[in-house]
Amino acid sequence: MRFAAYEHHHRYRVAVLEDDGTLYPLPGVTSLTALLQQTGGLTGLLAAGAAALDVPPGPHVSEIRLLPPLQPASVRDFVTFEEHVEGVRRSVEGTGGVPEQWYAAPTFYFTNPHAIYGPGDDIPMPPGSTVLDFELEVAAVVGREGRDLTPEQARDHIVGYTVFNDWSARDLQSAEMRVGLGPCKGKDTATTLGPCLVTADELEPYRDPDGFLRLALTAEVNGEVVGRDLLSNMSWTFEEMVAYASRGTRVVPGDVLGSGTCGNGGCLAELWGLSGEQTPPPLEPGDTVTLTVEGLGTLTTTIVPGAEPVPLPTGRRRSRERP
């Protein structure tokens, strides 16, 4: 089942999205995150969706504005593709290879849950950046609260999946990570989710014998294919990622966990690292990025001009005087 959030006549709704584009609104539901908190997981969500199919349909998807399928409780973005790590380290950090520590655990960082864009939303250039990049990812969405989960338990906590674009200001990212923290403003401006949430049961036919989802991934810039990969090239499964995220803490309904960027052109920076030059060039206003994931759908986004950065002073060198 597919769930979409949308705006129609200045009203916000959540609906089941059928293959023909018909929307079946869930009565009284305006937030998928809130619905997940109420239904307690996949079984409850499917029941709510089935009930919506028993009432008259709403508008067609062509008549509405799609929103992000949910407003995340939090967003963890992992880095689970070995090929991506190799290319981006050359481009962003000026080093090569994969750190041995990377293999020890599925590392992630927290990104901004207040900067979520939906399918079709324009993305403004980050203030102060001239090297904008996309990142083709898939996100798992948590539907049940859990703590210290095993991977086997974690499977029951994943309610569905959506396409995830982690927009990256590579010039800002490269500079700030020299401090030893980050990424910060290099990743803070925008994340695109959509076009809908596809429930986990829909993707079971794509699961390979090792537990990975074998989904084809394609990235295009201005209509030209720049990247192709398989989601099954991840080094950890989503269940293992959820288990790691829950270690010593909670995962809650509405948490979003990104796979990290796929390899073989899942972002421009990987290509730059491999070739030693910025080809294709960084994104700029007017460029259009199209990301397609088998079984999940397509996100198409146009880059537009952004705000100028508000000037701030550089850090002061203080006297370190003590009382």
Side-chain angles (χ1 to χ4, degrees):
M1 196 170 285
R2 295 167 180 261
F3 289 83
Y6 68 94
E7 180 186 7
H8 188 231
H9 296 323
H10 307 293
R11 296 180 64 194
Y12 296 90
R13 304 294 300 272
V14 173
V16 175
L17 175 60
E18 292 286 82
D19 290 341
D20 65 359
T22 303
L23 292 159
Y24 287 82
L26 280 69
V29 178
T30 59
S31 165
L32 184 57
T33 305
L35 179 63
L36 292 175
Q37 294 167 349
Q38 296 165 9
T39 55
L42 180 58
T43 300
L45 181 62
L46 291 175
L53 296 176
D54 290 333
V55 300
H60 190 269
V61 70
S62 62
E63 303 170 343
I64 55 87
R65 174 188 167 223
L66 280 175
L67 304 171
L70 76 161
Q71 289 298 324
S74 72
V75 184
R76 295 171 175 87
D77 197 10
F78 287 73
V79 53
T80 68
F81 288 84
E82 193 176 24
E83 189 174 11
H84 169 75
V85 175
E86 290 176 347
V88 169
R89 287 193 82 214
R90 290 192 190 96
S91 177
V92 176
E93 302 176 25
T95 58
V98 179
E100 192 61 33
Q101 184 60 31
W102 180 83
Y103 297 95
T107 308
F108 65 88
Y109 74 97
F110 281 99
T111 192
N112 190 351
H114 309 299
I116 304 299
Y117 288 74
D121 287 346
D122 294 338
I123 295 297
M125 289 289 296
S129 175
T130 60
V131 188
L132 181 61
D133 196 0
F134 68 88
E135 297 202 14
L136 171 52
E137 309 187 24
V138 170
V141 177
V142 174
R144 291 174 52 198
E145 183 173 331
R147 183 186 182 97
D148 291 315
L149 300 171
T150 65
E152 293 73 24
Q153 292 169 331
R155 179 169 293 192
D156 292 333
H157 290 256
I158 297 174
V159 73
Y161 300 87
T162 191
V163 186
F164 182 113
N165 189 344
D166 175 34
W167 299 98
S168 303
R170 297 301 188 189
D171 44 356
L172 304 184
Q173 178 188 0
S174 180
E176 65 198 6
M177 291 186 73
R178 294 191 183 100
V179 180
L181 288 174
C184 313
K185 283 298 174 185
K187 301 277 194 171
D188 197 42
T189 300
T191 298
T192 302
L193 298 178
C196 57
L197 175 80
V198 178
T199 54
D201 57 304
E202 293 275 332
L203 296 185
E204 281 305 307
Y206 296 95
R207 195 176 292 276
D208 71 15
D210 295 321
F212 293 89
L213 297 173
R214 187 180 173 87
L215 305 178
L217 314 172
T218 306
E220 301 173 58
V221 177
N222 298 328
E224 179 180 347
V225 174
V226 297
R228 293 186 188 275
D229 201 5
L230 288 170
L231 187 62
S232 50
N233 284 329
M234 295 166 62
S235 291
W236 290 271
T237 66
F238 281 106
E239 290 80 7
E240 291 162 348
M241 292 156 56
V242 172
Y244 187 67
S246 75
R247 184 181 294 179
T249 187
R250 298 183 302 151
V251 291
V252 301
D255 279 351
V256 168
L257 286 75
S259 63
T261 310
C262 67
N264 194 38
C267 69
L268 298 177
E270 179 199 331
L271 300 175
W272 301 337
L274 294 173
S275 68
E277 58 184 28
Q278 288 189 342
T279 303
L283 301 172
E284 60 183 16
D287 287 338
T288 297
V289 176
T290 302
L291 306 182
T292 301
V293 178
E294 183 179 9
L296 295 182
T298 297
L299 291 176
T300 298
T301 307
T302 299
I303 310 303
V304 297
E308 291 297 317
V310 175
L312 293 174
T314 57
R316 286 86 164 171
R317 298 184 182 276
R318 308 302 291 166
S319 68
R320 307 190 188 186
E321 181 182 1
R322 303 288 186 260

